[in-house]
Every structure is written in C-alpha cells, then in structure tokens.
Amino acid sequence: MKFINFTLNAVVLTAILVQTACTPTNLTKENVIPKPVSVVSSGSSFDLTDQTDIYVQGESLELKQIGQYLANKLNPSTGLSLDVKTTVNIPAPGNIYLCIKGGDAELGDEGYELTITEKSINLVANKPAGLFHGIQTIRQILPSKVEMSTVQKGPWKISTGVIRDFPVYGYRGSMLDVGRHFFGVEDVKNLIDQLAYYKMNVLHLHLSDDQGWRIEIKSWPNLTKHGGSTAVGGGKGGFYTQKEYSEIVKYAQDRYITIIPEIDMPGHTNAALASYPELNCNGIAPHLFTGREVGFSTLCTKKEITYKFIDDVVRELAELTPGPYIHIGGDESHVTPIEDYIPFINRVQEIVIAHGKQVIGWDEIALSTLKPNSVAQYWAKAENGIKAVAQGAKVLMSPAKNAYLDMKYDSTSAFGQNWAGYIEVDKGYNWDPATLVPEIRKENIIGIEAPLWSETVDNRKDLEYLIFPRLPGYAEIGWTPANLRNWDNYKARLVNHGERMKAMNISFFPSKMVPWETNEVK
Ligand code: ACM
C-alpha cells in the first residue's frame, strides 16, 4: 500500500512538474515585440480548443474582417476551425471576444486592452486599428509554431492576465525603394504583412528614381513605358499599373497601414527625363541609367511644362491614395542650384496642397519655406531637421546612421552598403528618436521610419536579409516608451522571434549579437 502511495505521489508530482514546464502561466514572460506598455500576469492559462470561436461585437463588417484575419492566422497551424461570429452579449466561456468600446483616452486610436482569463480572451479598443494591433499580440503570446502554414501539435495555451498597450508615436513605418530594383505586388503585400505583425502603420513606396519610374501615370504614359523599362545593373525593371497600386493600397488599408507614395524631385529624375525630352532644360532626353551614382539629374525648374508635369502626376497619385501624404523627395539635388531648388520646393508644396494632400520630403526641403503641416524626413543633416523645427514643422526620424535598413550589419554582410556605417542589430535598436538631436524634441517628431534602398538587392529573400532582424527593433522604438526599452531584454525576446521568423519562412541575418536557439520552432 505504502509502495503504491509512493508511486501515485510520484506520478502526480511528475504530472505537476511537466505541466509547470509546458504550461505558460506568466504573461509578463511572453516575448511580445514591440514590448507592451503594461502587462499584469494572473498566473494561469487559457486553452484554445476546437470549441473556441471568435466573437465580434455587433454586425460591423470591419470587425468581422479583423476577426477573420485572426482566424486565418490561427486555423492553418492549430488545425482548429475558429469561426467568426457576431454577438451583442459577452459570449459563452472558451471564446475570443473583440469589442469596440470607446472612451478610453489613454489607449487613443491604436491602443488596446487584452484581458485573458481561464475562461475567455477579451480584446477591447477605441478603434478597429487598436483591435488589429491587439490581434498581433495574441499571435505573439501563442507558441511560435502558430505561425507555421501546416498543422502543428497543440496544446495552444495562452498565459492569463491583462495587457494595456498603446504607441508612443503615431507614425511607425518602413520604406521600400522600388526605383532601383522593382518589386512586384506580391512582394509588397508580403512586406505589408510583416509590418503589420510588428504594429507598424506606414509603408512609404519610393516610386521613382534615376533608374526607374514605377507607377503608371495615364497622362504621361512614356514614364513607365520607357522610364520603367530597366533597373540598377540593367535588369528588366517593371511598374505598377494604377489598378495594381490600388490593390496594394487596399491590402495595406485592411491591415491599418497607410501607403505614402514618393515621387522624388527635382533630382533623382533621370528616368522621367529620359522619357520626356521637354522636361530637360536643353530639350534632349538622356539615356536610361542603370548605374548607382546619385545627384546628377534635375528636372528643369525654370520651364512651365515641369509644373504641368508635376501637377498631373500629383493629381493622379492623390486620386489613388487615401492617405494624407504625398512624398516629394527633394534629396541630393546636387545639380539644381539652390536659388532654383528653394522656389521649386515651395511651388511643389503648393501643388500637393491644391490636390488635398500634405507634403513629406527628405530633410533638404527644410531649406525652403515649409508650409504648415509639411514634414521633413531627417536622414542626413541634423541642421536641416533643426531648420524644420524652427519653422514649426514636424520631423520624421530616419537617421541613416541608425535607421537605414540597407546599411550592412558588419563587414561580412552579403548585401547592403556602408556609406553611413555598419548597423548591427544592437546599434539599430539602441537609440531614441527624442534625444538623438537635442534640438529635435519628442513634441517635434511624428515618428520613425526605417528606409530600405534597393541598389544591392533585387529579390524577396535578399530584401529580408536586410530587413530582418532589424525591423522589429524599429517597430519597438516607434511603439514602446523609451524608459521601457532595454537591449538585453529586447535581445531575449528577439531570440523567440527568430523561431517566429523561421516559422514564417523569413530569411533573416543570423546576427552574432543575438543568442539564437538552433532547435525546432516551439
Ligand atoms: C537618401 O537616402 N538619399 C534620402
């Protein structure tokens, strides 16, 4: 009898130990990126089972779409069939509930409150964007293998507790240069999904440069026909039809991401100049350009046709773009005399405003007279950012030395450039937009953007090598208050995201700064 008792006790003890080892119960230990503002654990767990469904409040199509997004992410790997259902009441135990409540000023437009008990998951926000961000948190507090596209073995347990979370900055973005090398609609959609996973809300598309014009403009068809026909290195180029661009915009909108289109001017315009001789001061179209030099081209700022051209391009783009901004470039116009550059930028701002949009431009535009609501994107010269602030303008922080995704990680990097130095994963993470330049304060900053120039990459895999694992760090800088950010804590969470990136088939750079675990995705 004693012997049996001993055995029984051992079995019970083993069962408890196994459960403790496998069951997530401490919500504060989960690896959410960006790190949430507040996490309180209640020490138990919720089970996702074949009884679980996703309930959304009322008949809102938008909420149903958000619920369906979550179901589409969870069903393939869990093998469960979470359905999206509507309700006016708090649903029965065992379910996930998405609800818009309004009136929680601290959460703002993008924040959320996630309450997980043994009985239910309740996600509440003021606005749908908040629910969408909260869903990314639910994905990230499930085991990493939830991101696989094939059925994995459960159980699917989630630690209980409460997360209250909202961003520091309203603008958290990345940029893709489709001018130097063209990337098709599917590659852009893939990037949009990756941005959404890290709660980023802007994708800036650099749509024109010396080497290529990538957006159909119906009133100036040769821009794409000729100007879109090549790329860096002499590849075949490409462009988005207006229909394709609208498809990208809609895909992004469904993920609470704003597309900001950029037409770079007056420099970086060889593709346009090669397509229309009348845009050149000498009336002669140059050859298409497939090299990597910068700063040699300019629209003819003194010709009236130039402004007719810009007006047509901005009008067509504004009609296709629901977001508030058109990006006018303005960088590295080395062959445009400053006395021509300033009135040019002033006039282009007026054109953009006349079409109902606000201007963003690289930091050089602060040399002109910035219109109220124009934004200077600090990439190179702090003095330009300071000039923008002195004019009362806002600044978007993309300092090349800290935030350029096309900089190499180190001397061994397979892709990228190093004119702004190497940016290892810790360097990319360890800075604060609000203190980098003392004269540019938090209240002057609309947010952060990590741009990716594409001179050295022409396919998704190589793009991902440069984007990951740095992108999650930029997402955290944009979302999480600086006093809650810490490299060692972030590094530990990034290890877990290595598993998630593997599960999502993302080709990331295996930086030696991070102690990646080499075993299976858990
Ligand atoms: C830039 O990197 N030329 C904005």
mmCIF file with all atom_site columns, all heavy atoms in Angstrom, residues 180 264 268 294 331-332 362 364 379 400 404 419 453, ligand 1:
data_model
loop_
_atom_site.group_PDB
_atom_site.id
_atom_site.type_symbol
_atom_site.label_atom_id
_atom_site.label_alt_id
_atom_site.label_comp_id
_atom_site.label_asym_id
_atom_site.label_entity_id
_atom_site.label_seq_id
_atom_site.pdbx_PDB_ins_code
_atom_site.Cartn_x
_atom_site.Cartn_y
_atom_site.Cartn_z
_atom_site.occupancy
_atom_site.B_iso_or_equiv
_atom_site.pdbx_formal_charge
_atom_site.auth_seq_id
_atom_site.auth_comp_id
_atom_site.auth_asym_id
_atom_site.auth_atom_id
_atom_site.pdbx_PDB_model_num
ATOM   1   N N   . ARG A 1 180 ? 15.184 51.545 -57.725 1.00 0.00 ? 180 ARG A N   1
ATOM   2   C CA  . ARG A 1 180 ? 16.488 50.976 -58.129 1.00 0.00 ? 180 ARG A CA  1
ATOM   3   C C   . ARG A 1 180 ? 16.299 49.549 -58.616 1.00 0.00 ? 180 ARG A C   1
ATOM   4   O O   . ARG A 1 180 ? 16.877 49.136 -59.618 1.00 0.00 ? 180 ARG A O   1
ATOM   5   C CB  . ARG A 1 180 ? 17.467 51.023 -56.968 1.00 0.00 ? 180 ARG A CB  1
ATOM   6   C CG  . ARG A 1 180 ? 18.262 52.296 -56.850 1.00 0.00 ? 180 ARG A CG  1
ATOM   7   C CD  . ARG A 1 180 ? 17.435 53.560 -56.995 1.00 0.00 ? 180 ARG A CD  1
ATOM   8   N NE  . ARG A 1 180 ? 18.226 54.763 -56.814 1.00 0.00 ? 180 ARG A NE  1
ATOM   9   C CZ  . ARG A 1 180 ? 18.517 55.304 -55.634 1.00 0.00 ? 180 ARG A CZ  1
ATOM   10  N NH1 . ARG A 1 180 ? 18.044 54.781 -54.519 1.00 0.00 ? 180 ARG A NH1 1
ATOM   11  N NH2 . ARG A 1 180 ? 19.275 56.391 -55.574 1.00 0.00 ? 180 ARG A NH2 1
ATOM   12  N N   . ASP A 1 264 ? 10.289 61.363 -56.362 1.00 0.00 ? 264 ASP A N   1
ATOM   13  C CA  . ASP A 1 264 ? 11.471 62.131 -55.966 1.00 0.00 ? 264 ASP A CA  1
ATOM   14  C C   . ASP A 1 264 ? 11.738 63.220 -57.004 1.00 0.00 ? 264 ASP A C   1
ATOM   15  O O   . ASP A 1 264 ? 11.774 62.945 -58.209 1.00 0.00 ? 264 ASP A O   1
ATOM   16  C CB  . ASP A 1 264 ? 12.675 61.166 -55.848 1.00 0.00 ? 264 ASP A CB  1
ATOM   17  C CG  . ASP A 1 264 ? 13.737 61.686 -54.888 1.00 0.00 ? 264 ASP A CG  1
ATOM   18  O OD1 . ASP A 1 264 ? 13.702 62.877 -54.528 1.00 0.00 ? 264 ASP A OD1 1
ATOM   19  O OD2 . ASP A 1 264 ? 14.619 60.882 -54.516 1.00 0.00 ? 264 ASP A OD2 1
ATOM   20  N N   . HIS A 1 268 ? 17.154 62.991 -58.795 1.00 0.00 ? 268 HIS A N   1
ATOM   21  C CA  . HIS A 1 268 ? 16.742 61.573 -58.860 1.00 0.00 ? 268 HIS A CA  1
ATOM   22  C C   . HIS A 1 268 ? 15.662 61.374 -59.919 1.00 0.00 ? 268 HIS A C   1
ATOM   23  O O   . HIS A 1 268 ? 14.701 60.612 -59.703 1.00 0.00 ? 268 HIS A O   1
ATOM   24  C CB  . HIS A 1 268 ? 16.241 61.081 -57.488 1.00 0.00 ? 268 HIS A CB  1
ATOM   25  C CG  . HIS A 1 268 ? 17.336 60.924 -56.472 1.00 0.00 ? 268 HIS A CG  1
ATOM   26  N ND1 . HIS A 1 268 ? 18.132 59.799 -56.383 1.00 0.00 ? 268 HIS A ND1 1
ATOM   27  C CD2 . HIS A 1 268 ? 17.781 61.758 -55.508 1.00 0.00 ? 268 HIS A CD2 1
ATOM   28  C CE1 . HIS A 1 268 ? 19.010 59.946 -55.394 1.00 0.00 ? 268 HIS A CE1 1
ATOM   29  N NE2 . HIS A 1 268 ? 18.824 61.130 -54.863 1.00 0.00 ? 268 HIS A NE2 1
ATOM   30  N N   . VAL A 1 294 ? 24.552 59.005 -57.639 1.00 0.00 ? 294 VAL A N   1
ATOM   31  C CA  . VAL A 1 294 ? 23.403 59.855 -57.312 1.00 0.00 ? 294 VAL A CA  1
ATOM   32  C C   . VAL A 1 294 ? 23.767 61.317 -57.567 1.00 0.00 ? 294 VAL A C   1
ATOM   33  O O   . VAL A 1 294 ? 24.937 61.666 -57.695 1.00 0.00 ? 294 VAL A O   1
ATOM   34  C CB  . VAL A 1 294 ? 22.985 59.713 -55.826 1.00 0.00 ? 294 VAL A CB  1
ATOM   35  C CG1 . VAL A 1 294 ? 22.531 58.308 -55.513 1.00 0.00 ? 294 VAL A CG1 1
ATOM   36  C CG2 . VAL A 1 294 ? 24.098 60.152 -54.886 1.00 0.00 ? 294 VAL A CG2 1
ATOM   37  N N   . ASP A 1 331 ? 15.754 65.177 -52.066 1.00 0.00 ? 331 ASP A N   1
ATOM   38  C CA  . ASP A 1 331 ? 17.115 64.903 -51.588 1.00 0.00 ? 331 ASP A CA  1
ATOM   39  C C   . ASP A 1 331 ? 18.139 64.962 -52.710 1.00 0.00 ? 331 ASP A C   1
ATOM   40  O O   . ASP A 1 331 ? 17.809 64.751 -53.875 1.00 0.00 ? 331 ASP A O   1
ATOM   41  C CB  . ASP A 1 331 ? 17.168 63.505 -50.937 1.00 0.00 ? 331 ASP A CB  1
ATOM   42  C CG  . ASP A 1 331 ? 16.736 62.415 -51.902 1.00 0.00 ? 331 ASP A CG  1
ATOM   43  O OD1 . ASP A 1 331 ? 15.748 62.648 -52.644 1.00 0.00 ? 331 ASP A OD1 1
ATOM   44  O OD2 . ASP A 1 331 ? 17.373 61.352 -51.939 1.00 0.00 ? 331 ASP A OD2 1
ATOM   45  N N   . GLU A 1 332 ? 19.363 65.229 -52.317 1.00 0.00 ? 332 GLU A N   1
ATOM   46  C CA  . GLU A 1 332 ? 20.547 65.093 -53.184 1.00 0.00 ? 332 GLU A CA  1
ATOM   47  C C   . GLU A 1 332 ? 20.349 65.720 -54.565 1.00 0.00 ? 332 GLU A C   1
ATOM   48  O O   . GLU A 1 332 ? 20.789 65.165 -55.564 1.00 0.00 ? 332 GLU A O   1
ATOM   49  C CB  . GLU A 1 332 ? 20.914 63.600 -53.338 1.00 0.00 ? 332 GLU A CB  1
ATOM   50  C CG  . GLU A 1 332 ? 21.287 62.956 -52.027 1.00 0.00 ? 332 GLU A CG  1
ATOM   51  C CD  . GLU A 1 332 ? 21.565 61.464 -52.154 1.00 0.00 ? 332 GLU A CD  1
ATOM   52  O OE1 . GLU A 1 332 ? 20.737 60.727 -52.747 1.00 0.00 ? 332 GLU A OE1 1
ATOM   53  O OE2 . GLU A 1 332 ? 22.613 61.033 -51.646 1.00 0.00 ? 332 GLU A OE2 1
ATOM   54  N N   . TRP A 1 362 ? 12.469 64.682 -47.965 1.00 0.00 ? 362 TRP A N   1
ATOM   55  C CA  . TRP A 1 362 ? 13.729 64.425 -47.243 1.00 0.00 ? 362 TRP A CA  1
ATOM   56  C C   . TRP A 1 362 ? 14.220 65.735 -46.633 1.00 0.00 ? 362 TRP A C   1
ATOM   57  O O   . TRP A 1 362 ? 13.773 66.821 -47.037 1.00 0.00 ? 362 TRP A O   1
ATOM   58  C CB  . TRP A 1 362 ? 14.755 63.815 -48.206 1.00 0.00 ? 362 TRP A CB  1
ATOM   59  C CG  . TRP A 1 362 ? 14.288 62.485 -48.742 1.00 0.00 ? 362 TRP A CG  1
ATOM   60  C CD1 . TRP A 1 362 ? 13.836 62.234 -50.009 1.00 0.00 ? 362 TRP A CD1 1
ATOM   61  C CD2 . TRP A 1 362 ? 14.202 61.231 -48.041 1.00 0.00 ? 362 TRP A CD2 1
ATOM   62  N NE1 . TRP A 1 362 ? 13.473 60.914 -50.136 1.00 0.00 ? 362 TRP A NE1 1
ATOM   63  C CE2 . TRP A 1 362 ? 13.692 60.270 -48.937 1.00 0.00 ? 362 TRP A CE2 1
ATOM   64  C CE3 . TRP A 1 362 ? 14.507 60.838 -46.735 1.00 0.00 ? 362 TRP A CE3 1
ATOM   65  C CZ2 . TRP A 1 362 ? 13.481 58.938 -48.575 1.00 0.00 ? 362 TRP A CZ2 1
ATOM   66  C CZ3 . TRP A 1 362 ? 14.302 59.508 -46.376 1.00 0.00 ? 362 TRP A CZ3 1
ATOM   67  C CH2 . TRP A 1 362 ? 13.802 58.577 -47.286 1.00 0.00 ? 362 TRP A CH2 1
ATOM   68  N N   . GLU A 1 364 ? 16.344 67.960 -46.798 1.00 0.00 ? 364 GLU A N   1
ATOM   69  C CA  . GLU A 1 364 ? 16.752 69.144 -47.557 1.00 0.00 ? 364 GLU A CA  1
ATOM   70  C C   . GLU A 1 364 ? 15.591 70.111 -47.810 1.00 0.00 ? 364 GLU A C   1
ATOM   71  O O   . GLU A 1 364 ? 15.810 71.300 -48.022 1.00 0.00 ? 364 GLU A O   1
ATOM   72  C CB  . GLU A 1 364 ? 17.351 68.741 -48.914 1.00 0.00 ? 364 GLU A CB  1
ATOM   73  C CG  . GLU A 1 364 ? 18.697 68.048 -48.826 1.00 0.00 ? 364 GLU A CG  1
ATOM   74  C CD  . GLU A 1 364 ? 18.605 66.525 -48.809 1.00 0.00 ? 364 GLU A CD  1
ATOM   75  O OE1 . GLU A 1 364 ? 17.670 65.977 -48.185 1.00 0.00 ? 364 GLU A OE1 1
ATOM   76  O OE2 . GLU A 1 364 ? 19.489 65.880 -49.412 1.00 0.00 ? 364 GLU A OE2 1
ATOM   77  N N   . TRP A 1 379 ? 17.240 62.415 -42.514 1.00 0.00 ? 379 TRP A N   1
ATOM   78  C CA  . TRP A 1 379 ? 18.018 61.231 -42.883 1.00 0.00 ? 379 TRP A CA  1
ATOM   79  C C   . TRP A 1 379 ? 19.516 61.517 -42.819 1.00 0.00 ? 379 TRP A C   1
ATOM   80  O O   . TRP A 1 379 ? 20.308 60.651 -42.481 1.00 0.00 ? 379 TRP A O   1
ATOM   81  C CB  . TRP A 1 379 ? 17.643 60.731 -44.285 1.00 0.00 ? 379 TRP A CB  1
ATOM   82  C CG  . TRP A 1 379 ? 18.081 61.631 -45.425 1.00 0.00 ? 379 TRP A CG  1
ATOM   83  C CD1 . TRP A 1 379 ? 17.474 62.789 -45.819 1.00 0.00 ? 379 TRP A CD1 1
ATOM   84  C CD2 . TRP A 1 379 ? 19.208 61.461 -46.270 1.00 0.00 ? 379 TRP A CD2 1
ATOM   85  N NE1 . TRP A 1 379 ? 18.157 63.349 -46.870 1.00 0.00 ? 379 TRP A NE1 1
ATOM   86  C CE2 . TRP A 1 379 ? 19.225 62.548 -47.182 1.00 0.00 ? 379 TRP A CE2 1
ATOM   87  C CE3 . TRP A 1 379 ? 20.206 60.482 -46.370 1.00 0.00 ? 379 TRP A CE3 1
ATOM   88  C CZ2 . TRP A 1 379 ? 20.209 62.696 -48.165 1.00 0.00 ? 379 TRP A CZ2 1
ATOM   89  C CZ3 . TRP A 1 379 ? 21.188 60.623 -47.365 1.00 0.00 ? 379 TRP A CZ3 1
ATOM   90  C CH2 . TRP A 1 379 ? 21.175 61.722 -48.248 1.00 0.00 ? 379 TRP A CH2 1
ATOM   91  N N   . ALA A 1 400 ? 20.163 58.043 -41.204 1.00 0.00 ? 400 ALA A N   1
ATOM   92  C CA  . ALA A 1 400 ? 20.779 56.944 -41.955 1.00 0.00 ? 400 ALA A CA  1
ATOM   93  C C   . ALA A 1 400 ? 21.696 56.099 -41.078 1.00 0.00 ? 400 ALA A C   1
ATOM   94  O O   . ALA A 1 400 ? 21.731 54.866 -41.206 1.00 0.00 ? 400 ALA A O   1
ATOM   95  C CB  . ALA A 1 400 ? 21.551 57.508 -43.150 1.00 0.00 ? 400 ALA A CB  1
ATOM   96  N N   . TYR A 1 404 ? 18.809 53.150 -41.420 1.00 0.00 ? 404 TYR A N   1
ATOM   97  C CA  . TYR A 1 404 ? 18.741 52.708 -42.817 1.00 0.00 ? 404 TYR A CA  1
ATOM   98  C C   . TYR A 1 404 ? 18.884 51.185 -42.889 1.00 0.00 ? 404 TYR A C   1
ATOM   99  O O   . TYR A 1 404 ? 19.930 50.617 -42.544 1.00 0.00 ? 404 TYR A O   1
ATOM   100 C CB  . TYR A 1 404 ? 19.833 53.395 -43.645 1.00 0.00 ? 404 TYR A CB  1
ATOM   101 C CG  . TYR A 1 404 ? 19.335 54.652 -44.356 1.00 0.00 ? 404 TYR A CG  1
ATOM   102 C CD1 . TYR A 1 404 ? 18.285 55.412 -43.822 1.00 0.00 ? 404 TYR A CD1 1
ATOM   103 C CD2 . TYR A 1 404 ? 19.911 55.081 -45.564 1.00 0.00 ? 404 TYR A CD2 1
ATOM   104 C CE1 . TYR A 1 404 ? 17.832 56.547 -44.466 1.00 0.00 ? 404 TYR A CE1 1
ATOM   105 C CE2 . TYR A 1 404 ? 19.452 56.227 -46.212 1.00 0.00 ? 404 TYR A CE2 1
ATOM   106 C CZ  . TYR A 1 404 ? 18.421 56.956 -45.654 1.00 0.00 ? 404 TYR A CZ  1
ATOM   107 O OH  . TYR A 1 404 ? 17.970 58.082 -46.294 1.00 0.00 ? 404 TYR A OH  1
ATOM   108 N N   . TRP A 1 419 ? 27.998 53.374 -46.558 1.00 0.00 ? 419 TRP A N   1
ATOM   109 C CA  . TRP A 1 419 ? 28.383 54.793 -46.546 1.00 0.00 ? 419 TRP A CA  1
ATOM   110 C C   . TRP A 1 419 ? 27.945 55.496 -45.257 1.00 0.00 ? 419 TRP A C   1
ATOM   111 O O   . TRP A 1 419 ? 28.546 56.496 -44.876 1.00 0.00 ? 419 TRP A O   1
ATOM   112 C CB  . TRP A 1 419 ? 27.878 55.526 -47.788 1.00 0.00 ? 419 TRP A CB  1
ATOM   113 C CG  . TRP A 1 419 ? 26.384 55.514 -47.960 1.00 0.00 ? 419 TRP A CG  1
ATOM   114 C CD1 . TRP A 1 419 ? 25.671 54.674 -48.744 1.00 0.00 ? 419 TRP A CD1 1
ATOM   115 C CD2 . TRP A 1 419 ? 25.429 56.366 -47.313 1.00 0.00 ? 419 TRP A CD2 1
ATOM   116 N NE1 . TRP A 1 419 ? 24.324 54.940 -48.639 1.00 0.00 ? 419 TRP A NE1 1
ATOM   117 C CE2 . TRP A 1 419 ? 24.149 55.986 -47.770 1.00 0.00 ? 419 TRP A CE2 1
ATOM   118 C CE3 . TRP A 1 419 ? 25.521 57.427 -46.399 1.00 0.00 ? 419 TRP A CE3 1
ATOM   119 C CZ2 . TRP A 1 419 ? 22.978 56.603 -47.348 1.00 0.00 ? 419 TRP A CZ2 1
ATOM   120 C CZ3 . TRP A 1 419 ? 24.355 58.042 -45.978 1.00 0.00 ? 419 TRP A CZ3 1
ATOM   121 C CH2 . TRP A 1 419 ? 23.104 57.633 -46.451 1.00 0.00 ? 419 TRP A CH2 1
ATOM   122 N N   . TRP A 1 453 ? 16.794 51.069 -49.167 1.00 0.00 ? 453 TRP A N   1
ATOM   123 C CA  . TRP A 1 453 ? 17.181 51.383 -50.555 1.00 0.00 ? 453 TRP A CA  1
ATOM   124 C C   . TRP A 1 453 ? 17.642 50.088 -51.197 1.00 0.00 ? 453 TRP A C   1
ATOM   125 O O   . TRP A 1 453 ? 18.284 49.256 -50.559 1.00 0.00 ? 453 TRP A O   1
ATOM   126 C CB  . TRP A 1 453 ? 18.283 52.447 -50.555 1.00 0.00 ? 453 TRP A CB  1
ATOM   127 C CG  . TRP A 1 453 ? 17.819 53.705 -49.873 1.00 0.00 ? 453 TRP A CG  1
ATOM   128 C CD1 . TRP A 1 453 ? 18.040 54.075 -48.584 1.00 0.00 ? 453 TRP A CD1 1
ATOM   129 C CD2 . TRP A 1 453 ? 16.998 54.725 -50.440 1.00 0.00 ? 453 TRP A CD2 1
ATOM   130 N NE1 . TRP A 1 453 ? 17.419 55.265 -48.313 1.00 0.00 ? 453 TRP A NE1 1
ATOM   131 C CE2 . TRP A 1 453 ? 16.771 55.693 -49.434 1.00 0.00 ? 453 TRP A CE2 1
ATOM   132 C CE3 . TRP A 1 453 ? 16.428 54.931 -51.703 1.00 0.00 ? 453 TRP A CE3 1
ATOM   133 C CZ2 . TRP A 1 453 ? 16.004 56.833 -49.642 1.00 0.00 ? 453 TRP A CZ2 1
ATOM   134 C CZ3 . TRP A 1 453 ? 15.667 56.069 -51.918 1.00 0.00 ? 453 TRP A CZ3 1
ATOM   135 C CH2 . TRP A 1 453 ? 15.455 57.007 -50.906 1.00 0.00 ? 453 TRP A CH2 1
HETATM 136 C C1  . ACM B 2 .   ? 18.512 59.449 -49.322 1.00 0.00 ? 1   ACM B C1  1
HETATM 137 O O1  . ACM B 2 .   ? 18.995 58.468 -48.730 1.00 0.00 ? 1   ACM B O1  1
HETATM 138 N N1  . ACM B 2 .   ? 19.074 59.920 -50.413 1.00 0.00 ? 1   ACM B N1  1
HETATM 139 C C2  . ACM B 2 .   ? 17.306 60.107 -48.826 1.00 0.00 ? 1   ACM B C2  1
#
